[in-house]
Amino acid sequence: MTSLKWVTTSIWDESLWQKIQPIYEEAFPHGAKPKRILRIMLEQKNSFIHALFDQEQVIAMAITGLVGSAAESILIIDYMAVHQDWRDQGIGLSFLEQIKQWAIDEHGITAIVIEVEAEDTPLNRSRLLFWEKCGFIATSYVHQYIWVPEPYRAMVLPLQTDFAVTDQGESLFRYITSFHEKAYRKR
């Protein structure tokens, strides 16, 4: 494997997006946010685009955001995908580890939260297994949004011993919903 280059930005870069977009669209054919919303998220200064390059090719991408307070700063992974030709090689785990370390070093986060589709399908089971291998814990609460047909479940990766989920996962959806509302808020 050649030397990989890691990039994180909070500023919209159209040329970077052109390299990320094919992975984004392939991995998230339904429910992906439109480009204009992603731009707004970065302009609001609470979201980031991460990319992993092999030479000039993007092989992994993620879109993340910060929510919570200074005492309990949470990183939301909104989207994360590895190019289909690079899957099953440990790239996803390594990429997530880079994102996690960046978020700890730069933002002092206490946990990482994601939402995964809750329907029992082979693809969803595969995704759930990946996140569990990364140390995430699935919650039992299933959330139904009014604007998308699929139900979702939250997963959390606590990074401090005092971070605890004291319910079935409903509290994690308050963070997730807050993040989504900021993205779609009229300006």
Side-chain angles (χ1 to χ4, degrees):
M1 187 181 312
T2 60
S3 176
L4 302 179
K5 183 177 91 172
W6 151 268
V7 173
T8 292
T9 185
S10 62
I11 299 168
W12 185 262
D13 178 336
E14 186 64 31
S15 64
L16 176 61
W17 177 250
Q18 293 303 316
K19 293 176 182 177
I20 290 172
Q21 187 173 3
I23 299 171
Y24 180 71
E25 289 177 350
E26 185 269 328
F28 307 104
H30 310 292
K33 290 180 177 75
K35 181 171 90 169
R36 68 177 180 75
I37 297 297
L38 298 174
R39 285 184 79 136
I40 289 169
M41 290 167 55
L42 268 64
E43 289 169 4
Q44 292 173 346
K45 303 292 184 205
N46 70 332
S47 295
F48 306 89
I49 291 179
H50 311 272
L52 187 62
F53 284 83
D54 175 40
Q55 298 177 26
E56 293 300 312
Q57 179 190 12
V58 173
I59 62 170
M61 60 74 57
I63 299 170
T64 64
L66 297 171
V67 294
S69 63
E72 192 171 81
S73 181
I74 308 294
L75 183 75
I76 302 287
I77 296 180
D78 200 17
Y79 301 98
M80 185 175 127
V82 174
H83 188 284
Q84 59 190 1
D85 295 343
W86 287 80
R87 292 182 188 150
D88 300 320
Q89 299 177 43
I91 297 294
L93 181 59
S94 174
F95 186 53
L96 175 64
E97 198 56 40
Q98 288 178 302
I99 293 170
K100 180 176 89 173
Q101 198 56 55
W102 163 82
I104 291 168
D105 294 346
E106 297 293 321
H107 302 285
I109 63 165
T110 57
I112 301 175
V113 173
I114 60 167
E115 60 183 340
V116 295
E117 291 179 348
E119 291 177 324
D120 187 22
T121 68
L123 179 60
N124 292 346
R125 283 192 300 274
S126 171
R127 289 176 175 167
L128 183 69
L129 182 61
F130 167 77
W131 292 111
E132 287 175 337
K133 285 180 183 177
C134 293
F136 281 79
I137 302 161
T139 59
S140 60
Y141 170 71
V142 174
H143 188 77
Q144 184 66 58
Y145 291 107
I146 58 172
W147 58 86
V148 293
E150 308 86 21
Y152 286 85
R153 157 180 342 274
M155 296 184 78
V156 62
L157 177 61
L159 299 174
Q160 295 184 358
T161 55
D162 61 344
F163 183 89
V165 177
T166 57
D167 56 21
Q168 301 301 307
E170 297 95 329
S171 59
L172 298 176
F173 272 95
R174 286 193 285 279
Y175 292 119
I176 294 166
T177 301
S178 169
F179 176 74
H180 290 312
E181 286 174 349
K182 287 177 188 171
Y184 286 98
R185 187 174 295 144
K186 300 259 188 240
R187 308 189 319 126

